[in-house]
């Protein structure tokens, strides 16, 4: 029996707000910035979310199923591309402290868990290039979280 997060990522279910995965991916930049209950569904982890108590928590079985599912992998790839576009187009997060820093940590960790080191490292490299391009406004603690993610 599949889990709610597996169903969401494969397009056969919804998140706890009733949205399908590609509805979330299609959200505009303002909705992405203002929404705080979707990132845990797009980039789930095996640890509880401090920001969203209703967020899914991956089991070992979930991880295996998601890694083996072409549909889930396609959703994760599309979600990664969408968030990369968001972080490229918007610079408000390029400050010493911003809630997007936690999102970026989550994305890197989730990619590492569900898609592998190469894709997680590629997203982190993209983010670090964006930070450098902006004059390196991100603090060392955040950079440390990203390097350990």
């Amino acid at each position: 029996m599949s889990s709610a997060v597996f169903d969401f990522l494969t397009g056969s279910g919804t998140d706890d707000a009733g949205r399908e995965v590609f509805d979330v991916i299609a959200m505009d930049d303002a909705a992405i910035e203002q929404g705080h209950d979707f990132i845990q569904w797009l980039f789930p982890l095996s640890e509880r979310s401090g920001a969203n108590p209703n967020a899914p928590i991956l089991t070992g079985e979930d991880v295996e199923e998601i890694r083996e599912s072409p549909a889930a992998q396609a959703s994760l790839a599309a979600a990664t591309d969408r968030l990369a576009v968001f972080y490229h187009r918007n610079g408000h997060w390029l400050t010493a402290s911003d809630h997007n820093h936690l999102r970026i940590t989550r994305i890197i960790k989730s990619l590492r868990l569900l898609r592998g080191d190469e894709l997680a490292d590629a997203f982190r490299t993209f983010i670090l290039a964006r930070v450098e391009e902006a004059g390196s406004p991100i603090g060392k603690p955040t950079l440390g979280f990203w390097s350990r993610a």
Side-chain angles (χ1 to χ4, degrees), residues 33-101:
E33 178 57 27
Q34 294 166 4
H36 298 285
D37 64 346
F38 70 88
I39 198 77
Q40 301 88 356
W41 285 85
L42 282 183
F43 298 99
L45 295 173
S46 54
E47 55 199 52
R48 184 166 304 282
S49 167
N52 182 357
N54 297 322
I57 302 168
L58 293 175
T59 65
E61 185 176 311
D62 291 329
V63 171
E64 185 176 324
E65 287 180 337
I66 291 166
R67 283 177 82 70
E68 294 176 3
S69 166
Q73 290 298 305
S75 293
L76 287 165
T80 303
D81 290 347
R82 176 61 185 103
L83 271 290
V85 166
F86 173 80
Y87 291 122
H88 176 74
R89 279 200 296 232
N90 297 281
H92 62 276
W93 62 276
L94 292 162
T95 64
S97 178
D98 187 86
H99 71 100
N100 281 288
H101 300 175

